[in-house]
Amino acid sequence: QVQLVESGGGLVQPGGSLSLSCAASTSIFRLYTMGWYRQAPGKQRELVAAITSGGNTNYADSVKGRFTISRDNAKNTMYLQMNSLKPEDTAVYYCNAEKWGANSWGQGTQVTVSS
């Protein structure tokens, strides 16, 4: 199984920026599809962005052009750079690792966008 630890969440003003990191414990990190999900109060968990082992990316329409997902396979780490943040981005953000149809999840990190 893969252990995942998120970091970088916090409080930021609308229009500000924040960067999240997800550290993975597997020696074959390069072979996993990685993703960021988020869940706001009263809402379903939704996919924010994903990145394949080959580096292909996919974004939710709501964050396209504002967020950037990336990975550093040498460091077993995935990142999410969030710019032009809006109050509706407020949620708990979760790291996900997928391979062979199985998913691993991190504990989540809170992102709050408020003035």
PDB file of all heavy atoms in Angstrom, residues 21-40:
ATOM      1  N   SER A  21       1.651  20.100  -1.417  1.00  0.00           N
ATOM      2  CA  SER A  21       2.555  19.002  -1.727  1.00  0.00           C
ATOM      3  C   SER A  21       1.977  17.696  -1.209  1.00  0.00           C
ATOM      4  O   SER A  21       1.256  17.676  -0.211  1.00  0.00           O
ATOM      5  CB  SER A  21       3.929  19.226  -1.094  1.00  0.00           C
ATOM      6  OG  SER A  21       4.549  20.391  -1.595  1.00  0.00           O
ATOM      7  N   CYS A  22       2.299  16.597  -1.887  1.00  0.00           N
ATOM      8  CA  CYS A  22       1.894  15.265  -1.471  1.00  0.00           C
ATOM      9  C   CYS A  22       3.097  14.348  -1.591  1.00  0.00           C
ATOM     10  O   CYS A  22       3.593  14.114  -2.700  1.00  0.00           O
ATOM     11  CB  CYS A  22       0.739  14.753  -2.335  1.00  0.00           C
ATOM     12  SG  CYS A  22       0.322  13.010  -2.064  1.00  0.00           S
ATOM     13  N   ALA A  23       3.566  13.836  -0.459  1.00  0.00           N
ATOM     14  CA  ALA A  23       4.705  12.929  -0.428  1.00  0.00           C
ATOM     15  C   ALA A  23       4.218  11.487  -0.364  1.00  0.00           C
ATOM     16  O   ALA A  23       3.382  11.146   0.475  1.00  0.00           O
ATOM     17  CB  ALA A  23       5.599  13.242   0.771  1.00  0.00           C
ATOM     18  N   ALA A  24       4.749  10.622  -1.238  1.00  0.00           N
ATOM     19  CA  ALA A  24       4.342   9.223  -1.329  1.00  0.00           C
ATOM     20  C   ALA A  24       5.453   8.298  -0.862  1.00  0.00           C
ATOM     21  O   ALA A  24       6.639   8.594  -1.039  1.00  0.00           O
ATOM     22  CB  ALA A  24       3.949   8.874  -2.759  1.00  0.00           C
ATOM     23  N   SER A  25       5.072   7.154  -0.298  1.00  0.00           N
ATOM     24  CA  SER A  25       6.023   6.225   0.314  1.00  0.00           C
ATOM     25  C   SER A  25       6.459   5.079  -0.587  1.00  0.00           C
ATOM     26  O   SER A  25       7.238   4.231  -0.163  1.00  0.00           O
ATOM     27  CB  SER A  25       5.417   5.639   1.589  1.00  0.00           C
ATOM     28  OG  SER A  25       4.279   4.848   1.292  1.00  0.00           O
ATOM     29  N   THR A  26       5.989   5.024  -1.815  1.00  0.00           N
ATOM     30  CA  THR A  26       6.274   3.887  -2.695  1.00  0.00           C
ATOM     31  C   THR A  26       7.543   4.086  -3.512  1.00  0.00           C
ATOM     32  O   THR A  26       7.859   5.202  -3.935  1.00  0.00           O
ATOM     33  CB  THR A  26       5.093   3.626  -3.654  1.00  0.00           C
ATOM     34  OG1 THR A  26       5.434   2.568  -4.558  1.00  0.00           O
ATOM     35  CG2 THR A  26       4.772   4.875  -4.468  1.00  0.00           C
ATOM     36  N   SER A  27       8.239   2.974  -3.771  1.00  0.00           N
ATOM     37  CA  SER A  27       9.443   3.008  -4.593  1.00  0.00           C
ATOM     38  C   SER A  27       9.131   3.035  -6.087  1.00  0.00           C
ATOM     39  O   SER A  27      10.031   3.257  -6.901  1.00  0.00           O
ATOM     40  CB  SER A  27      10.339   1.812  -4.278  1.00  0.00           C
ATOM     41  OG  SER A  27       9.684   0.589  -4.571  1.00  0.00           O
ATOM     42  N   ILE A  28       7.862   2.801  -6.452  1.00  0.00           N
ATOM     43  CA  ILE A  28       7.449   2.850  -7.854  1.00  0.00           C
ATOM     44  C   ILE A  28       6.475   3.993  -8.094  1.00  0.00           C
ATOM     45  O   ILE A  28       5.527   3.878  -8.879  1.00  0.00           O
ATOM     46  CB  ILE A  28       6.844   1.512  -8.314  1.00  0.00           C
ATOM     47  CG1 ILE A  28       5.686   1.075  -7.412  1.00  0.00           C
ATOM     48  CG2 ILE A  28       7.912   0.438  -8.368  1.00  0.00           C
ATOM     49  CD1 ILE A  28       4.908  -0.105  -7.968  1.00  0.00           C
ATOM     50  N   PHE A  29       6.715   5.117  -7.436  1.00  0.00           N
ATOM     51  CA  PHE A  29       5.888   6.312  -7.574  1.00  0.00           C
ATOM     52  C   PHE A  29       5.694   6.689  -9.043  1.00  0.00           C
ATOM     53  O   PHE A  29       4.612   7.108  -9.443  1.00  0.00           O
ATOM     54  CB  PHE A  29       6.540   7.465  -6.808  1.00  0.00           C
ATOM     55  CG  PHE A  29       5.832   8.780  -6.961  1.00  0.00           C
ATOM     56  CD1 PHE A  29       4.692   9.068  -6.232  1.00  0.00           C
ATOM     57  CD2 PHE A  29       6.322   9.740  -7.838  1.00  0.00           C
ATOM     58  CE1 PHE A  29       4.047  10.295  -6.364  1.00  0.00           C
ATOM     59  CE2 PHE A  29       5.697  10.966  -7.979  1.00  0.00           C
ATOM     60  CZ  PHE A  29       4.552  11.236  -7.239  1.00  0.00           C
ATOM     61  N   ARG A  30       6.714   6.522  -9.843  1.00  0.00           N
ATOM     62  CA  ARG A  30       6.686   6.898 -11.256  1.00  0.00           C
ATOM     63  C   ARG A  30       5.602   6.174 -12.043  1.00  0.00           C
ATOM     64  O   ARG A  30       5.195   6.656 -13.099  1.00  0.00           O
ATOM     65  CB  ARG A  30       8.040   6.621 -11.903  1.00  0.00           C
ATOM     66  CG  ARG A  30       8.422   5.157 -11.840  1.00  0.00           C
ATOM     67  CD  ARG A  30       9.442   4.783 -12.903  1.00  0.00           C
ATOM     68  NE  ARG A  30      10.767   5.303 -12.629  1.00  0.00           N
ATOM     69  CZ  ARG A  30      11.853   4.977 -13.312  1.00  0.00           C
ATOM     70  NH1 ARG A  30      11.751   4.108 -14.316  1.00  0.00           N
ATOM     71  NH2 ARG A  30      13.010   5.510 -13.005  1.00  0.00           N
ATOM     72  N   LEU A  31       5.133   5.011 -11.558  1.00  0.00           N
ATOM     73  CA  LEU A  31       4.162   4.205 -12.272  1.00  0.00           C
ATOM     74  C   LEU A  31       2.711   4.516 -11.905  1.00  0.00           C
ATOM     75  O   LEU A  31       1.799   3.972 -12.520  1.00  0.00           O
ATOM     76  CB  LEU A  31       4.432   2.714 -12.031  1.00  0.00           C
ATOM     77  CG  LEU A  31       5.824   2.214 -12.418  1.00  0.00           C
ATOM     78  CD1 LEU A  31       5.938   0.711 -12.155  1.00  0.00           C
ATOM     79  CD2 LEU A  31       6.127   2.512 -13.875  1.00  0.00           C
ATOM     80  N   TYR A  32       2.496   5.367 -10.917  1.00  0.00           N
ATOM     81  CA  TYR A  32       1.148   5.693 -10.461  1.00  0.00           C
ATOM     82  C   TYR A  32       0.567   6.892 -11.180  1.00  0.00           C
ATOM     83  O   TYR A  32       1.279   7.841 -11.510  1.00  0.00           O
ATOM     84  CB  TYR A  32       1.147   5.997  -8.954  1.00  0.00           C
ATOM     85  CG  TYR A  32       1.237   4.782  -8.069  1.00  0.00           C
ATOM     86  CD1 TYR A  32       2.450   4.154  -7.841  1.00  0.00           C
ATOM     87  CD2 TYR A  32       0.096   4.276  -7.448  1.00  0.00           C
ATOM     88  CE1 TYR A  32       2.532   3.035  -7.026  1.00  0.00           C
ATOM     89  CE2 TYR A  32       0.173   3.165  -6.632  1.00  0.00           C
ATOM     90  CZ  TYR A  32       1.393   2.552  -6.421  1.00  0.00           C
ATOM     91  OH  TYR A  32       1.471   1.450  -5.605  1.00  0.00           O
ATOM     92  N   THR A  33      -0.749   6.839 -11.418  1.00  0.00           N
ATOM     93  CA  THR A  33      -1.495   8.038 -11.747  1.00  0.00           C
ATOM     94  C   THR A  33      -1.811   8.756 -10.440  1.00  0.00           C
ATOM     95  O   THR A  33      -2.313   8.141  -9.503  1.00  0.00           O
ATOM     96  CB  THR A  33      -2.790   7.705 -12.494  1.00  0.00           C
ATOM     97  OG1 THR A  33      -2.473   7.182 -13.787  1.00  0.00           O
ATOM     98  CG2 THR A  33      -3.646   8.952 -12.673  1.00  0.00           C
ATOM     99  N   MET A  34      -1.493  10.032 -10.369  1.00  0.00           N
ATOM    100  CA  MET A  34      -1.683  10.819  -9.160  1.00  0.00           C
ATOM    101  C   MET A  34      -2.754  11.883  -9.382  1.00  0.00           C
ATOM    102  O   MET A  34      -2.937  12.371 -10.500  1.00  0.00           O
ATOM    103  CB  MET A  34      -0.379  11.496  -8.750  1.00  0.00           C
ATOM    104  CG  MET A  34       0.775  10.545  -8.498  1.00  0.00           C
ATOM    105  SD  MET A  34       0.484   9.457  -7.076  1.00  0.00           S
ATOM    106  CE  MET A  34       0.354  10.662  -5.752  1.00  0.00           C
ATOM    107  N   GLY A  35      -3.444  12.257  -8.310  1.00  0.00           N
ATOM    108  CA  GLY A  35      -4.473  13.270  -8.450  1.00  0.00           C
ATOM    109  C   GLY A  35      -4.743  14.027  -7.167  1.00  0.00           C
ATOM    110  O   GLY A  35      -4.430  13.561  -6.069  1.00  0.00           O
ATOM    111  N   TRP A  36      -5.313  15.216  -7.336  1.00  0.00           N
ATOM    112  CA  TRP A  36      -5.809  16.025  -6.228  1.00  0.00           C
ATOM    113  C   TRP A  36      -7.334  16.066  -6.291  1.00  0.00           C
ATOM    114  O   TRP A  36      -7.906  16.352  -7.350  1.00  0.00           O
ATOM    115  CB  TRP A  36      -5.266  17.452  -6.282  1.00  0.00           C
ATOM    116  CG  TRP A  36      -3.816  17.573  -5.938  1.00  0.00           C
ATOM    117  CD1 TRP A  36      -2.775  17.681  -6.796  1.00  0.00           C
ATOM    118  CD2 TRP A  36      -3.264  17.616  -4.618  1.00  0.00           C
ATOM    119  NE1 TRP A  36      -1.599  17.786  -6.112  1.00  0.00           N
ATOM    120  CE2 TRP A  36      -1.864  17.750  -4.770  1.00  0.00           C
ATOM    121  CE3 TRP A  36      -3.795  17.557  -3.334  1.00  0.00           C
ATOM    122  CZ2 TRP A  36      -0.998  17.825  -3.675  1.00  0.00           C
ATOM    123  CZ3 TRP A  36      -2.936  17.622  -2.249  1.00  0.00           C
ATOM    124  CH2 TRP A  36      -1.562  17.757  -2.422  1.00  0.00           C
ATOM    125  N   TYR A  37      -7.967  15.767  -5.174  1.00  0.00           N
ATOM    126  CA  TYR A  37      -9.407  15.872  -5.011  1.00  0.00           C
ATOM    127  C   TYR A  37      -9.700  16.882  -3.918  1.00  0.00           C
ATOM    128  O   TYR A  37      -8.835  17.185  -3.094  1.00  0.00           O
ATOM    129  CB  TYR A  37     -10.026  14.528  -4.633  1.00  0.00           C
ATOM    130  CG  TYR A  37     -10.036  13.489  -5.734  1.00  0.00           C
ATOM    131  CD1 TYR A  37      -8.866  12.866  -6.144  1.00  0.00           C
ATOM    132  CD2 TYR A  37     -11.233  13.120  -6.349  1.00  0.00           C
ATOM    133  CE1 TYR A  37      -8.873  11.908  -7.147  1.00  0.00           C
ATOM    134  CE2 TYR A  37     -11.253  12.161  -7.351  1.00  0.00           C
ATOM    135  CZ  TYR A  37     -10.070  11.558  -7.739  1.00  0.00           C
ATOM    136  OH  TYR A  37     -10.097  10.597  -8.733  1.00  0.00           O
ATOM    137  N   ARG A  38     -10.924  17.398  -3.892  1.00  0.00           N
ATOM    138  CA  ARG A  38     -11.312  18.282  -2.804  1.00  0.00           C
ATOM    139  C   ARG A  38     -12.764  18.029  -2.412  1.00  0.00           C
ATOM    140  O   ARG A  38     -13.566  17.565  -3.211  1.00  0.00           O
ATOM    141  CB  ARG A  38     -11.110  19.752  -3.175  1.00  0.00           C
ATOM    142  CG  ARG A  38     -12.048  20.271  -4.255  1.00  0.00           C
ATOM    143  CD  ARG A  38     -11.664  21.691  -4.650  1.00  0.00           C
ATOM    144  NE  ARG A  38     -12.552  22.232  -5.662  1.00  0.00           N
ATOM    145  CZ  ARG A  38     -12.353  23.390  -6.278  1.00  0.00           C
ATOM    146  NH1 ARG A  38     -11.282  24.130  -5.984  1.00  0.00           N
ATOM    147  NH2 ARG A  38     -13.217  23.813  -7.191  1.00  0.00           N
ATOM    148  N   GLN A  39     -13.074  18.348  -1.161  1.00  0.00           N
ATOM    149  CA  GLN A  39     -14.427  18.186  -0.653  1.00  0.00           C
ATOM    150  C   GLN A  39     -14.784  19.372   0.229  1.00  0.00           C
ATOM    151  O   GLN A  39     -14.138  19.621   1.237  1.00  0.00           O
ATOM    152  CB  GLN A  39     -14.569  16.883   0.134  1.00  0.00           C
ATOM    153  CG  GLN A  39     -16.000  16.573   0.542  1.00  0.00           C
ATOM    154  CD  GLN A  39     -16.169  15.143   1.007  1.00  0.00           C
ATOM    155  OE1 GLN A  39     -15.207  14.519   1.470  1.00  0.00           O
ATOM    156  NE2 GLN A  39     -17.369  14.617   0.876  1.00  0.00           N
ATOM    157  N   ALA A  40     -15.807  20.115  -0.190  1.00  0.00           N
ATOM    158  CA  ALA A  40     -16.330  21.234   0.574  1.00  0.00           C
ATOM    159  C   ALA A  40     -17.492  20.745   1.436  1.00  0.00           C
ATOM    160  O   ALA A  40     -18.118  19.730   1.126  1.00  0.00           O
ATOM    161  CB  ALA A  40     -16.788  22.350  -0.357  1.00  0.00           C
TER     162      ALA A  40
END
